[in-house]
Structure formats: structure tokens, C-alpha cells
Amino acid sequence: MLPYISIPFQYAAGKLGTSTDDLKLISSFLLSYPLAGLLKRVPDAKPAYKNLFIIGVSTFYLIGLFDLWQGVRTLVISALGTYVIARYVDGPFMPWIGFVFLMGHLSINQLHRQFVGDSGVVDITGAQMVMVMKLSAFCWNVADGRLPEKDLSDFQKERALKKLPNLFDYAGYVLFFPSLFAGPAFDFVDYGRWLDATMFEIPAGIDPSKKPPTRKKRKIPRSGTPAAWKAAAGLFWILAFLKFSGWYYPKLFTGDKYMTFSFCHRVWLLYTLGVTSRLKYYGVWSLTEGACILSGMGYKGVDPATGKVSWDRLQNVNPWGVETAQNTRAYLGNWNINTNNWLRNYVYLRVTPRGKKPGFRASMATFITSAFWHGFYPGYYLTFILASFVQTVAKNFRRYFRPFFLHPTTQKPTKYKIYYDVFSYLTTQLAFCFTTAPFVLLSLPESYLVWRRVYFYAIVGTAISTAFFASPAKAFLKQQLDIRSERAGSKLKHVYSQENFSDSKDPIMVLPPDPDGLEDTVKEIREEIEALQRRGIHRSDTM
């Protein structure tokens, strides 16, 4: 650590009532803005200088600011270990070997932080979680580059690495400072295109007059304004968190004062705890995304009609989408977007044999990965498991009740649709403030205590709803929807059936398998057993 660098942070932390390392972390996010502005000004023809600048800044953060010598060792072990695996291990198991190596290394540090570490001190597990996403994807991209293109999907073709990058470029990718501690994660192909500036070339067919403005000879479009908006939003969320966290904090809910309030007031306070906890993530993710935008990494392309530049390539959260969500898919789909994308593209779809649809095995593997990636606090698992049942109930409500509030021939909302919207909004928000409370409280005793103090209302409601949809009531609702569709006209029967209003079959990636699909699960397991038996019989016949 640089001499005396902690003194101003210690003074400011004492005034603000926060920890020194937390203040350092926010300061590093803000410092990344002018440094990202300098990085963007490194000549496009000098990619080595860009790598050197990135490595130097990240080294300053890790050692000069936080004194994380052991953290540097951890990152070096993960990065070099992954590079060696990708270089020297051939065959279809290479990505899985890299994945197990990275997750195992992360799990060791997660357990150390849980049982030994100080929650007020920045450690390396946050940066390591980002690295697991980046490097496990890197292994898959290298493996895809060794396969014939006919065996790859369009996504794989776009991300495949035909040649292993040199160590200098690889180090720049690993240590990209705007997203070092909190993400967002991205694939090496994005870094490579940013590094050589091919990311910013205008596709053929777009009017040259629509080309976004740049400065001097740089190819990176001007990004100061969108980056500034992200920085302002991030600071707003952080300041809001500092204010609200003094009013709504975990110990309030486990203390005696909480039980002096009425039931409705206790539920309201539980909701405010969830909002307050999310403010911190909104702030951190907005600040890091803004620094990535300023460096040019957030560039997504140009609208060919208007010439407007899109900068949301690395968007990780949509606060408005979360806070106004009327169903579980909207709620979770707007949260931790990059992690969901990583789990979908590099776990969920990768455990599925080519030519088959993802099933129970893919969903379960994704859930286990998501759970282990977050850590081992019991609260995480309480949240994930309950959320899967909440998701199933919400899907059934949307499938079998929502169509009654839409016009059968036009699908436009009826005059009563507003009541459904208000009800679905309130139930979604209240269900998730209960469900996510253990994610904030972490421990099993505290989570159980708080759940008990609000009479397990979300669990009771989910159980009653599950029983309702397992009863003849479900068939009755289906029948009524079919009758309604028939009255609208035989040609419209399929269009307005209740199946048309079901959610997408792709699961939310952070949740375990949908309990509603147990029949498919049993069928899949039976098919796996029969396949193994056939292979065993075939081997015995050939001996």
C-alpha cells in the first residue's frame, strides 16, 4: 500500500459512518472515470500501450490502494491456471476442467471469507467472481474455436477463438480496471475488438452520414455524455443507500423494536429493507458500467435509421424494471443481467447434448452453479429455493388469470386490466421482499426469525396457490378460457388460448428447476437410465 494513502479515507469514513475500505472501493470506481478517459486517448494503433495502462491501473488498485498482495496471488493463480488449461488440454472436457478449477478456487476463498473474513474489509472474492465468469467463458470460446463451424451455433461462431491470445492481451482482458472489482463481465472477443478498434467500424449498408461523431483520429465514438449520466445515477443510488441504510438495516428486523409495529407496518419495513439493499447494487453497477462506457467498451452499435449510438452492451441492471416489475420474469430478468447471460450461454446450454433441448439436468446444473458462485451462506439457498416456487405460482397466475383481463379478439386490455396490474405488482413486490430477506440477513437463524415475525406470509401464500393450481380449479379455468376463445371465433381459438399467455420456457438462470415440470424431469431421468442400460448391454454383447 502507498504510504499515507489511507489517512484521508479513514477521516472521511469516520465522518460518513462507513468503513474505510468501502469508501476506497467507491473512490476507485470514481477514479476509473478520468483513467478511462485517458485510456480512450491511447492511440488505436498502440494496443500494447492500452494493455500496459490497464495492467498498471489495476496493480495500483490492488496493491497501492487496498494492499491486496494475497489477492494478486489469487488472481494470478486463476488466470495462469486457466490459460495453461486452455493451451495444453485438448478435447471436449477442457472447458469443464477450467470451470471446475475456477469454481473450486473461488469456493475456497468464499468459505474463508464467510468464516474468517471481515465483511467491512474489501477482499478479492468480488473480483474473483467476475473472473470466474470471464475465464470460464474464455475456455468455452477457445474450445469452440477448435470445432468445425458446422457444429457451432451463431452465438458460438461469433465468440469462438481460433487462436489463443498472447499473454499480454490476456492480462489486459483479465485486469480490465473499469470492471475489475464488480464487473460487468464480458467475453475476450469483445475485448479483442475493443483493443484493435474493429468494434467501432460501421457495418456495410449503413449511411456514412449516420456515423457517430469521434474526436481527432480516434475510432471510439464520443461517450462522455452517456458515461456522465451513469456516474450521476450511480452517485444518486449510493447516496440514497447511505441515507436509507441508517433507517432500514438488518439488526432492526432481529431486534425487539421490530415487533412493536403492526403486521402491515412490519411487511412495509421488510419491503424497504429490500429496496435499500438493492440501492447499493444499483449504485455500484451504474458506476462501473459508466466507466466501461467512457472507455468505449459499452459500445453496442448504431441505429441505422437514426444514427443514435447504443451504449448498453454491458448493462447489468435496470432499476426501473426491477422496482416496477409485475411478474417474476420481469423482476429477475432486469437484475444482474450479465450473470444471467453467462449462466445461460456457458452453463445451461453447455450441459445439454447437441441436438437436444435443455431439460432438468441443464436447469439443475445452472442452479447449483449460481448458488456456489454466490457463496455458501444459508440465506442464499433459502432465497433461491423459495423463489423457484414463487416463480411457478406466478407463471400459473399469468397463464390462467391474465387472459380474462384482455379482450379475446384484440388482446387489448379491458377496463378491468388496471386491477390485475395493481394486484400483480403488489404481490410480486411483496413476495420478493419476503423471499430476498435471507439474501440480506445471510444466516439461517436470523432469516427464520424475520420470516416468523411476518408469519411466513409468502410461504403460506405460495403453498395455498400451489394447492389451488393442483386442484380441479386449474382445469376449470382452462375450460373457461377455451369457451371464451371459441366465442371469439373458431379462427381465433388457438391465438387466444391460455397457452398463448404463458411465460417463456427458458428459466430464469439464477433459480432452480421449475417444480411445475416434475413430469418432464422424471421422463428425462428415465430416458437417461434406459440409455445407460442400452450402452451396458451393447458392451456386454461385444465382449
Side-chain angles (χ1 to χ4, degrees), residues 58 102 112-113 156 230 308 339 360 423 449 517 532:
S58 290
L102 289 165
H112 181 269
R113 177 174 175 80
Q156 290 173 291
K230 283 292 179 181
K308 184 177 180 181
T339 300
F360 170 77
F423 175 79
L449 175 62
L532 290 172

Side-chain angles (χ1 to χ4, degrees), residues 392-411:
T392 298
V393 167
K395 180 183 69 175
N396 282 325
F397 270 104
R398 183 174 176 83
R399 177 181 294 172
Y400 295 108
F401 279 94
R402 185 174 180 269
F404 288 108
F405 297 89
L406 300 175
H407 196 279
T409 57
T410 64
Q411 294 192 44

